[in-house]
Amino acid sequence: MSHTVYAAATTLAGPPGAVTYELNYVLNILAWLVTAAGVCGLLLVGSRMAISLRSGEGDEHLTQFAMVMGACIIGATAGPIVDFVM
């Protein structure tokens, strides 16, 4: 009896494989794009900071850095959250 209940629970637990395969493919592409955008954002903030410090300006770049890191965290956790919900 428990084998039948386990088999029924595992077959009803998730969506069909065709749906999740395409969704996982799109999520993987978006994860790579978010990673590339995060690296580009950090490079841009770092280069702006280096140029402004070299020219003697003391602009506040920590807020830009925090915004880029926050976006990276949101982008990095979006995929696992969607995977958990599915």
Side-chain angles (χ1 to χ4, degrees):
M1 169 112 177
S2 64
H3 184 274
T4 309
V5 171
Y6 178 74
T10 56
T11 56
L12 298 176
V19 173
T20 58
Y21 175 75
E22 293 175 2
L23 183 63
N24 286 335
Y25 181 72
V26 171
L27 284 176
N28 286 336
I29 289 174
L30 289 175
W32 279 106
L33 290 175
V34 166
T35 302
V39 169
C40 286
L42 289 176
L43 286 174
L44 287 173
V45 169
S47 63
R48 281 188 198 168
M49 186 175 9
I51 290 170
S52 69
L53 289 176
R54 196 85 196 297
S55 65
E57 299 173 7
D59 291 337
E60 204 170 305
H61 296 282
L62 189 60
T63 56
Q64 293 176 353
F65 179 75
M67 285 177 46
V68 171
M69 289 306 295
C72 289
I73 290 170
I74 289 171
T77 57
I81 288 173
V82 169
D83 193 33
F84 175 73
V85 171
M86 296 291 296

